[in-house]
Each structure stands twice: as C-alpha cells, then as structure tokens.
Amino acid sequence: MIQLEVITGNYKREMALPANFPMRILVVKEANGSLHMNSGDYDLLNGRIFFIPEEGLVRLEGEIKIAYWLTFSSIIYSEFLLQHLDPLAKNLFMKLSYQDLDDNGSKKTYSLLMQLQKEIDAKKDVAYLSQYLSLFLGYTANLDGYLAALTLDELQQVLRFRAILEQFYKQERSINFYADGMGISPRKLNLFLDKVLGKSLSALIKDRIMREAEELLIHADYSIDEIAEILGFERTSNFTTAFRRYKGMSVNQFTLQE
C-alpha cells in the first residue's frame, strides 16, 4: 500500500528508479544532479519535493547524498482526494510538478517522513496511513495553507486527531472521548480544534459522516436504511433529516443528480 525508502549514492540515468506503487514522490534533502522523465529534465535541489505522475520512468543522474522515495497505492491516495476537492489537488499527479521548501518547511517535512516510516514499520492500518499521507500532501503541496504556520508538534496533533476521528466518527460523539485519545483536556481540545481546524468537534464529525454518506450513496448498493445504520443513526429519519440540513437537498434528490 505504501513504501518509504531512503536513497543515497551515485546514479546514472540509464537505470530507472523502481516503484512498487503507482503514486510517487521524491523528496530531496541533499543532492547534486538532475531528474529525467519524458516530459523533461529537472534539477535536484536541496529541499525540493517532486510529485511524479503515474506514467513514465524516473531516472536520476548525479550524486544523491540523501533523498526519500515515497510510493503509495491509489487506495491510500483516495482519502486525500476526498478531503481536497479543488482542481489543484486532483491535478497534483497529472504531470510532474515540484515545490521548493524553505529551511523550516524542509525540517518539518523530513520529520514527518521519519514519523511516517515508524508508522509503516508499526503496520498501522490503511485508514491511519491514509490520514497521514493526506496531511503530508496537504502540507508539502501547499494545498492546506494553515498547516504551514503550525509547529511540528501541532502537525502531529492534527494527525493524531484525524486518525482517532477516522476510526471512531461513526460511534463516538463525545468531546471527552476524543480528548482522552489525544491525552489532553476537553477544553484544550476545543481550543486546539478551533485554532487549527476552525471548527468544533461536532462540526468535524458531521462533515466526516456526511462525506461518508455521499460516498455510500454514490458508490455502494446499500439501502438508505442500511446506510443510516452504518453511520450510527438510531433511526433512518434522523439520517435523512441531517442529510437534508447539511446538503440542502433530500437523499433522493442527491442520488438522482448523481
């Protein structure tokens, strides 16, 4: 599903970088040389992160003192697309693009990668790794501008919250439950969510439930009653009322337009 490798050494462009999964990112920490693809040649600059399209071989030429080669499956990537509906996110891997990180951004990126490796080694589940990758892409591609202002500790706190929310949003609504999972008081969690994500816990849970409802209505063969049960509603009427208030249309109207 996801693999992270540290690469070093001298590379000749005759040999392509192997990739076990279709989505590919190269993070350059220290290197001299160039990256070659059919679309063109690109300098390997310190602090440069490449978002590489699925098509085409990646060839390096030069000395790589240290870089990170991250590859992952489309399933892992799908959570990022669900959270980022704007065209910039959808086009991120359509053609080769890159970002040049400043010193502070580079340090955060390398720290996030090292933590990601620990999570991979710990065999965290797909939902957790998807949340991690979504945050990593949002930060490094500069699609979530608010993340740039966060400290590394705050970035890790956002990740932890997202992972807990992803696992329990269907069953748990209590601020105390999520605060316990974060290891902080309910008051501090409320302040953190308001400062960093700009929403209350109840709003974030509602957003996640309704996003899942849309996915199930579009892509699954469940009945409305079954979807209501899956999402933790005691009655189908509670689900349909909540959906109408959130989307401004009934469940039937939504399914007809899709």
Side-chain angles (χ1 to χ4, degrees):
M1 291 288 188
I2 186 168
Q3 186 172 18
L4 176 62
E5 300 176 71
V6 177
I7 60 175
T8 61
N10 292 305
Y11 283 78
K12 296 182 179 179
R13 64 185 300 174
E14 289 80 11
M15 182 179 296
L17 279 178
N20 292 327
F21 302 105
M23 318 305 294
R24 302 170 292 176
I25 294 176
L26 178 68
V27 182
V28 181
K29 186 171 185 180
E30 190 175 356
N32 293 296
S34 52
L35 180 152
H36 303 273
M37 289 191 68
N38 292 338
S39 59
D41 302 336
Y42 307 85
D43 292 332
L44 297 174
L45 300 182
N46 298 348
R48 176 166 285 184
I49 177 168
F50 291 92
F51 305 95
I52 301 170
E54 215 174 312
E55 300 297 326
L57 298 176
V58 179
R59 303 178 188 275
L60 301 181
E61 185 172 31
E63 181 185 8
I64 313 295
K65 292 188 177 178
I66 183 167
Y68 304 94
W69 183 233
L70 175 63
T71 65
F72 48 92
S73 67
S74 299
I75 293 175
I76 292 280
Y77 181 53
S78 63
E79 179 60 29
F80 169 74
L81 292 178
L82 287 173
Q83 292 186 25
H84 299 79
L85 301 178
D86 55 283
L88 289 176
K90 292 183 179 180
N91 295 332
L92 184 59
F93 288 93
M94 294 298 290
K95 62 180 181 179
L96 189 141
S97 62
Y98 59 83
Q99 293 278 349
D100 289 321
L101 305 170
D102 60 21
D103 288 343
N104 184 47
S106 295
K107 289 177 182 177
K108 289 181 184 177
T109 297
Y110 306 144
S111 295
L112 288 172
L113 285 170
M114 292 302 94
Q115 185 61 39
L116 175 58
Q117 186 62 67
K118 291 179 182 178
E119 308 297 357
I120 294 171
D121 292 342
K123 301 186 185 303
K124 289 294 180 70
D125 61 26
V126 171
Y128 183 90
L129 293 174
S130 296
Q131 290 298 315
Y132 203 112
L133 182 73
S134 180
L135 179 141
F136 180 80
L137 288 176
Y139 174 71
T140 53
N142 201 27
L143 293 169
D144 293 329
Y146 72 94
L147 293 175
L150 301 184
T151 66
L152 181 60
D153 181 64
E154 287 172 330
L155 283 170
Q156 296 287 8
Q157 288 284 75
V158 170
L159 172 64
R160 182 166 181 79
F161 172 75
R162 284 185 178 179
I164 296 171
L165 182 69
E166 187 64 24
Q167 187 173 359
F168 295 105
Y169 72 92
K170 296 175 185 175
Q171 300 90 15
E172 298 290 345
R173 306 287 193 271
S174 166
I175 185 70
N176 290 326
F177 175 86
Y178 291 92
D180 286 345
M182 295 284 290
I184 58 179
S185 70
R187 178 178 175 276
K188 285 187 176 180
L189 178 56
N190 275 325
L191 290 172
F192 177 77
L193 295 178
D194 182 63
K195 172 190 173 184
V196 174
L197 300 179
K199 292 186 177 182
S200 66
L201 174 65
S202 61
L204 291 165
I205 291 175
K206 183 183 294 184
D207 287 347
R208 184 63 187 91
I209 287 174
M210 291 303 154
R211 179 156 59 83
E212 185 68 11
E214 291 179 25
E215 284 297 302
L216 292 173
L217 288 167
I218 296 170
H219 300 297
D221 293 327
Y222 296 115
S223 68
I224 295 175
D225 290 339
E226 289 171 327
I227 291 174
E229 183 178 356
I230 289 169
L231 296 177
F233 289 90
E234 292 184 1
R235 298 181 179 86
T236 301
S237 60
N238 293 344
F239 165 61
T240 55
T241 298
F243 189 90
R244 179 187 288 275
R245 288 175 178 171
Y246 187 85
K247 292 293 294 183
M249 66 179 73
S250 69
V251 170
N252 288 334
Q253 287 172 324
F254 176 80
T255 53
L256 285 174
Q257 76 169 13
E258 293 300 323

